[in-house]
Amino acid sequence: MVKSASSEEETRTRARTRRVILDAAVDVLAENRAAPLSQVAAHAGVARSTLQRYFPERADLITALGEYSDELAQEATERARTTEGPAIDAFSRLVSEYFELRRIAMIALGGEEQAQEYDEEACGPSDLALYELVERGHEDGTIDPRVTPLWAQQLLWSSLYAGWLYVNVARVPAFEAHNMCLMSLVKALARDNRG
């Protein structure tokens, strides 16, 4: 059965409206995860009833944002041209493209709720020991001075988490994930003495 021109236009219009609502949801929920859906509708320039036709419940919108995050990641991958040029250059482009997905990814993954502002007074002894270690590395020339102590801490915990997941996802021995994690972290923090 061939779709009529009006049916195809309606499908395109629905897709555009859906995307406008999702983009508005990213803007609104990135600022306040608990914002009412009426605020999302207003930001999208649609009636609340229109938003509810697309996403009857808040959970439907959150689920759709996860799917939308995947769509945007695919678009970012295409823009990064991962099959062109040296692999490390393509990887750099991919990181830059993916970084732009921060707001939707944090919503989809629930990370905005967990993110807290840095408070040095709330740091425990292990945090302070890590910060001092990084600063010592700056002084002795072994840790890249562009790597701040707070960045090193964030990188450490995110890499450890990735390593822990890697054991289960890739079904590899823990020592293999440990080695990958250690190699990645040391390469990330080490001062490049080539020039």
Side-chain angles (χ1 to χ4, degrees):
M1 182 176 186
V2 177
K3 281 188 174 181
S4 68
S6 63
S7 175
E8 287 178 14
E9 180 57 34
E10 182 180 332
T11 300
R12 283 195 298 273
T13 300
R14 284 191 54 79
R16 277 194 306 271
T17 302
R18 180 180 187 278
R19 191 158 183 147
V20 164
I21 292 170
L22 290 171
D23 286 336
V26 171
D27 290 344
V28 170
L29 298 179
E31 295 298 320
N32 176 10
R33 178 77 182 222
L37 294 186
S38 58
Q39 192 175 342
V40 173
H43 191 72
V46 300
R48 172 72 191 255
S49 58
T50 300
L51 185 144
Q52 286 182 308
R53 270 198 310 274
Y54 288 84
F55 309 105
E57 302 290 332
R58 184 181 199 85
D60 299 318
L61 178 60
I62 299 301
T63 298
L65 283 169
E67 295 164 0
Y68 188 43
S69 178
D70 291 341
E71 290 174 37
L72 293 177
Q74 181 57 41
E75 292 172 13
T77 302
E78 291 168 11
R79 284 192 305 273
R81 304 176 324 277
T82 58
T83 60
E84 296 177 20
I88 196 66
D89 293 344
F91 185 75
S92 295
R93 289 192 301 269
L94 187 64
V95 169
S96 296
E97 289 291 343
Y98 278 3
F99 194 83
E100 295 303 314
L101 303 177
R102 179 188 64 84
R103 295 174 74 201
I104 190 166
M106 294 295 281
I107 292 168
L109 299 173
E112 284 290 318
E113 295 170 350
Q114 299 169 9
Q116 300 172 359
E117 254 185 64
Y118 172 69
D119 179 4
E120 188 171 345
E121 293 188 14
C123 291
S126 60
D127 296 320
L128 295 175
L130 174 63
Y131 298 160
E132 289 170 9
L133 182 151
V134 172
E135 289 168 355
R136 184 165 58 86
H138 293 162
E139 291 169 12
D140 70 18
T142 57
I143 294 180
D144 191 321
R146 296 172 297 180
V147 177
T148 67
L150 185 58
W151 178 252
Q153 179 189 42
Q154 297 293 306
L155 191 60
L156 170 65
W157 286 106
S158 60
S159 296
L160 287 170
Y161 182 72
W164 299 328
L165 283 178
Y166 189 67
V167 171
N168 295 330
V169 173
R171 303 208 182 284
V172 298
F175 78 85
E176 187 176 324
H178 167 263
N179 290 342
M180 295 288 283
C181 186
L182 184 59
M183 176 191 64
S184 300
L185 284 166
V186 168
K187 282 187 172 201
L189 270 65
R191 183 178 189 135
D192 183 0
N193 292 317
R194 288 179 288 177

